[in-house]
């Protein structure tokens, strides 16, 4: 059975682009444009989260999701690369936007 | 004259051994409303001087215990401004004449003529009060002059008094500090090295026309001048030139205007960048999909070209954002390791593609600074090194403290630096460069109170360095 992924990005067009690519790669991909929606859906195997979103940012959303779905994989992506946008104590480096597909696959499969 | 006589209340000392005559003289002075005191001898006179300060003394030339001249000296020593009138018999007229030579006011011959006596004493009293008045006036005048001179001197502007001819007749302290001590007598126009419009301005001001302010440069200083016509009064200059030093003010105004412009560009760019980045991202994702789904090498090749071009647009956007961001800075406690990790995470994949290794040296350098700016600066330096290396090589990120400075370096083992005006905006020798990258680096370094440099490395290659004062917050 293929892995279920959820892309959370308030920019619907970008989310759909990534979705299309990941479906090509054989994933079962869903989209949420509102971070709150992600919390109301059942757990996925992996999440691709935009860092900067209105309401709940990607880092906080990941924190909330980890509490519920502890074996899920997470990939964060952002256009703002400098470390001041990264919460203290966080070591994960988000992928830059536009997201390089090769590295996205690497992170989902590692 | 009505009311009290002018000399009322002044002290008169009568030194006369003839008691009857002394009292007689005192009585003659009653209409003058002066205070009188009688001393019978030179010794009594000395005691009296302990208690009173006579304006006028009437002295008998021949006293039992001293000569009139001795008494004159005693009186003048005790009371500097006292006037002395001698009373003398015919026999001692010569002494009285000597006394006049020594500074006595006048003399009376015995028997004393009452009217002449009163008039002489009155004149002596007037002389004393006139002198006192003059002294007080002089003191007041000098105080007033000191007051004005102090005020004019303490003004933090150059104040010059001028004749209509242009000759400087007076300069205050700031004027002398700016233009030298020997200003009086020199022409005003000599301060402007032959600027012909100065005499025109003087003439306009002399004819009562309003003169607009003008700015001149004197060495490093910028001075704003104004000319004012002075109402004619004896001793006053015809015109006053006031020069205000506006060097700092002008520098502040310029830097504020620059900051404002940068902030405006920053806001504009940030908004524009957001609008541009989204379609750019979408286009790049679509191209990635297209490349993956296509079987044709020709299509893949063309897609790669378009992707590269879009990538250039994207980095131009980043660099321009970096340049514009200098208007608004948010500072924080930073660790060099965090900055390096983020830079390497972003740059490593691109470096990998070209067989370039990028790494950082472990360090514990921590400081206060602006994260976004330094991140962009380091990205630009790594990008610069990557483009210099082209295919294969090593890039090393190094942080150190040097005294009270932070030194962040990017080292490569490429062909060495392209220096010159590398840090000027839009300077580039690379086909792919925008020329903005290193000017952003310099701007960021300067915003941290430091500078940036690009030099040849000790063992070949290039070393790009950002150096700024260490602050702990």
């Amino acid at each position: 059975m293929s892995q279920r992924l959820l892309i959370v990005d308030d920019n619907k067009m970008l989310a759909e682009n990534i979705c299309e690519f990941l479906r090509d790669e054989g994933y079962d991909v869903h989209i949420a444009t509102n971070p709150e929606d992600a919390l109301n859906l059942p757990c996925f195997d992996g999440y691709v989260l935009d860092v900067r979103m209105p309401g709940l940012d990607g880092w906080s959303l990941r924190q909330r999701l980890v509490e519920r779905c502890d074996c899920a994989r997470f990939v964060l992506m952002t256009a703002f690369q400098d470390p001041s946008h990264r919460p203290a104590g966080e070591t994960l480096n988000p992928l830059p936007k536009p997201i390089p597909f090769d590295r996205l696959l690497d992170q989902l499969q590692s | 004259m009505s009311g009290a006589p002018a000399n009322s209340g002044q002290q008169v000392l009568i030194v006369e051994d003839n008691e009857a005559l002394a009292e007689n003289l005192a009585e003659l002075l009653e209409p003058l409303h002066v205070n009188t005191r009688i001393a019978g001898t030179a010794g009594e006179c000395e005691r009296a001087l302990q208690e009173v300060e006579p304006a006028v003394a009437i002295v008998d030339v021949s006293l039992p215990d001293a000569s009139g001249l001795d008494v004159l000296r005693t009186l003048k020593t005790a009371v500097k401004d006292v006037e002395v009138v001698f009373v003398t018999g015919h026999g001692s007229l010569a002494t009285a004449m000597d006394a006049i030579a020594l500074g006595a006011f006048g003399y009376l011959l015995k028997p004393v003529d009452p009217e002449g006596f009163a008039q002489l004493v009155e004149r002596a009293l007037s002389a004393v009060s006139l002198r006192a008045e003059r002294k007080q006036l002089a003191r007041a005048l000098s105080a007033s002059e000191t007051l004005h001179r102090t005020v004019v001197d303490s003004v933090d502007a150059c104040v010059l008094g001028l004749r209509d001819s242009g000759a400087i007749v007076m300069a205050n302290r700031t004027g002398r500090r700016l233009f030298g001590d020997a200003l009086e007598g020199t022409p005003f126009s000599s301060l402007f090295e032959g600027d012909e419009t100065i005499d025109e301005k003087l003439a306009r001001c002399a004819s009562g026309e309003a003169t607009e302010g003008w700015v001149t440069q004197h060495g490093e200083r910028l001075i704003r001048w104004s000319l004012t016509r002075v109402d004619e009064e004896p001793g006053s200059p015809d015109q006053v030139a006031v020069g205000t030093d506006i060097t700092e003010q002008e520098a502040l105004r310029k830097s504020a205007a620059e900051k404002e412009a940068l902030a405006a560009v920053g806001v504009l760019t940030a908004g524009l960048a957001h609008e541009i980045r989204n379609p750019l991202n979408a286009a790049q994702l679509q191209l990635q999909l297209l490349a993956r789904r296509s079987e044709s090498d020709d299509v893949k090749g063309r897609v790669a070209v378009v992707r590269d071009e879009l990538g250039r647009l994207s980095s131009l956007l980043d660099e321009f954002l970096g340049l514009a961001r200098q208007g608004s800075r948010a500072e924080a406690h930073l660790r060099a390791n965090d900055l390096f990790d983020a830079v390497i995470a972003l740059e490593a994949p691109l470096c990998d593609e070209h067989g370039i290794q990028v790494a950082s040296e472990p360090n514990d350098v921590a400081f206060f600074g602006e994260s976004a700016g330094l991140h962009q600066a380091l990205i630009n330096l790594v990008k610069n090194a990557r483009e210099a290396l082209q295919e294969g090589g090593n890039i090393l990120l190094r942080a150190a403290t040097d005294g009270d400075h932070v030194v962040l370096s990017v080292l490569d083992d490429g062909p060495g630096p392209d220096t010159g005006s590398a840090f000027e905006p839009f300077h580039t020798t690379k086909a792919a460069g925008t020329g903005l990258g290193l000017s952003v680096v310099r701007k960021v370094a300067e915003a941290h109170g430091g500078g940036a440099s690009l030099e040849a490395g000790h063992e070949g290659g290039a070393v790009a360095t950002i150096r700024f004062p260490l602050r702990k917050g």
Side-chain angles (χ1 to χ4, degrees), chain B residues 11 44 61 133 148 154 176-178 200 209 270 273 322 379-380 393 415 424 464:
Chain B
Q11 179 74 46
E44 255 180 62
V61 170
E133 216 169 278
H148 285 95
S154 60
R176 293 192 298 275
R177 183 167 54 72
L178 282 171
E200 232 170 82
E209 262 181 74
I379 291 272
N380 292 2
E424 292 299 320

Side-chain angles (χ1 to χ4, degrees), chain A residues 11 13-14 17-18 20-22 24-25 79 81-86 93 96-103 105, chain B residues 277-286 288-289 292-293 314 334 338-339 341-342 345-346 349 371-372 375:
Chain A
N11 186 322
M13 188 167 63
L14 291 189
N17 277 327
I18 298 167
E20 198 179 343
F21 160 70
L22 288 173
D24 278 2
E25 294 294 321
Q81 281 296 314
D82 87 75
S84 69
H85 294 286
R86 196 168 59 183
N93 274 308
K97 277 180 158 187
I99 199 160
F101 288 159
D102 297 340
R103 292 174 66 191
L105 287 181
Chain B
R277 202 187 294 276
N278 278 337
L280 213 54
N281 283 351
Q284 285 193 308
L285 289 177
Q286 286 296 338
Q288 286 193 66
L289 273 174
R292 284 185 163 267
R293 286 177 178 177
S314 186
L334 303 173
D338 291 342
L339 280 169
D341 285 352
L346 198 64
S371 173
H375 175 80

Side-chain angles (χ1 to χ4, degrees), chain B residues 43-126:
Chain B
E44 255 180 62
C45 168
E46 274 185 52
R47 279 193 295 282
L49 287 174
Q50 313 271 324
E51 294 161 25
V52 297
E53 193 173 294
V56 171
I58 295 140
V59 180
D60 187 353
V61 170
S62 39
L63 290 166
D65 57 343
S67 79
L69 291 180
D70 292 335
V71 175
L72 174 67
R73 269 189 287 273
T74 309
L75 280 162
K76 288 274 184 191
T77 311
V79 185
K80 199 170 146 268
D81 286 325
V82 72
E83 290 294 2
V84 177
V85 172
F86 279 109
V87 180
T88 175
H90 284 291
S92 34
L93 186 54
T95 317
M97 301 295 272
D98 284 350
I100 297 288
L102 285 172
F105 187 77
Y107 64 91
L108 286 163
L109 290 176
K110 289 181 193 174
V112 172
D113 160 33
E115 204 169 315
F117 170 68
Q119 278 175 5
L120 184 61
V121 171
E122 197 171 4
R123 284 217 313 278
L125 286 168
S126 296

Side-chain angles (χ1 to χ4, degrees), chain A residues 4-67:
Chain A
R4 295 178 69 249
L5 298 181
L6 182 65
I7 302 169
V8 187
D9 192 332
D10 56 313
N11 186 322
K12 191 158 180 263
M13 188 167 63
L14 291 189
E16 281 171 352
N17 277 327
I18 298 167
C19 171
E20 198 179 343
F21 160 70
L22 288 173
R23 277 184 184 149
D24 278 2
E25 294 294 321
Y27 288 95
D28 175 12
V29 192
H30 300 259
I31 288 176
T33 52
N34 181 349
E36 298 292 339
D37 291 348
L39 292 170
N40 297 326
L41 294 168
C43 278
F44 286 79
D45 299 316
Y47 290 90
V48 178
L49 309 177
D50 188 20
V51 167
R52 188 171 284 197
M53 290 185 289
L56 198 57
D57 70 58
W59 296 108
S60 311
L61 178 58
R62 172 168 166 262
Q63 204 58 48
R64 302 269 292 274
L65 289 170
V66 164
E67 286 163 17

